Amino acid sequence: SADHGLHVSLSPIAFPDHFATHCEWAGKLRADNGTDLFKSDATFRLVPGLADPTCVSFEAVGVPGHYLRHSNCQIHLQKPDGSELFRKDATFRVRPGIADQRFNSFECYAPSNYFLRHQDWMLRVAPFESSPLYAADSTWSVRQAKFQK
């Protein structure tokens, strides 16, 4: 389950050997290649949501002070700019997994009913769809971090 302060890695249930990563400031789904750089890029610290402490934000362990945030439905790794918009874009509600409630889905704080998913090997947010593909692509296994400092 999603506990604040933990170092975690996110793996989609349909691709257990792939992980949510940041690469060149973009959110990407990549296969684990075993390198230290990959492990760092695939590890996030779950912190209280920047817009709402009952939610979560994902801080990059390898680039402290930078968070996953959505902009134009794409996921980017960015440093907060002090705006309310950034705080909302970097905050997610932890939900039971859409495809399997043993796992998690992450709903955008705003707009609601948009969920973190992977599509074409990129991380994005998209409005909920009642389809098996959407369910699988937006359900994540929150795993022990790939990288421990």
Short mmCIF file of all heavy atoms in Angstrom, two decimals, residues 20 43 96 121 139 147:
data_model
loop_
_atom_site.label_atom_id
_atom_site.label_comp_id
_atom_site.label_asym_id
_atom_site.label_seq_id
_atom_site.Cartn_x
_atom_site.Cartn_y
_atom_site.Cartn_z
N ALA A 20 7.70 2.90 -13.89
CA ALA A 20 7.55 4.33 -14.11
C ALA A 20 8.88 4.98 -13.79
O ALA A 20 9.45 4.75 -12.71
CB ALA A 20 6.45 4.88 -13.21
N THR A 43 12.93 5.36 -8.87
CA THR A 43 12.65 5.42 -7.44
C THR A 43 12.11 6.79 -7.06
O THR A 43 12.68 7.82 -7.41
CB THR A 43 13.92 5.08 -6.63
OG1 THR A 43 14.37 3.78 -7.01
CG2 THR A 43 13.63 5.09 -5.14
N PRO A 96 -8.00 2.32 -4.82
CA PRO A 96 -7.84 0.89 -5.11
C PRO A 96 -7.66 0.71 -6.62
O PRO A 96 -8.22 1.46 -7.42
CB PRO A 96 -9.17 0.28 -4.65
CG PRO A 96 -9.75 1.28 -3.71
CD PRO A 96 -9.28 2.63 -4.19
N TRP A 121 4.40 3.78 -24.01
CA TRP A 121 5.63 3.81 -23.19
C TRP A 121 5.86 5.16 -22.53
O TRP A 121 6.94 5.40 -21.98
CB TRP A 121 6.85 3.37 -24.01
CG TRP A 121 6.59 2.06 -24.68
CD1 TRP A 121 6.41 1.84 -26.01
CD2 TRP A 121 6.38 0.78 -24.05
NE1 TRP A 121 6.11 0.52 -26.24
CE2 TRP A 121 6.10 -0.16 -25.06
CE3 TRP A 121 6.40 0.35 -22.72
CZ2 TRP A 121 5.84 -1.50 -24.80
CZ3 TRP A 121 6.15 -0.99 -22.46
CH2 TRP A 121 5.88 -1.89 -23.49
N THR A 139 -3.38 0.67 -13.46
CA THR A 139 -3.27 -0.05 -12.19
C THR A 139 -1.81 -0.40 -11.96
O THR A 139 -1.16 -0.98 -12.83
CB THR A 139 -4.15 -1.32 -12.20
OG1 THR A 139 -5.52 -0.93 -12.43
CG2 THR A 139 -4.07 -2.05 -10.87
N PHE A 147 16.02 1.39 -5.69
CA PHE A 147 17.28 2.03 -5.28
C PHE A 147 17.13 2.46 -3.84
O PHE A 147 16.19 3.16 -3.50
CB PHE A 147 17.52 3.24 -6.19
CG PHE A 147 18.77 4.02 -5.86
CD1 PHE A 147 20.00 3.53 -6.21
CD2 PHE A 147 18.68 5.25 -5.23
CE1 PHE A 147 21.17 4.26 -5.94
CE2 PHE A 147 19.82 5.97 -4.95
CZ PHE A 147 21.06 5.48 -5.30
#
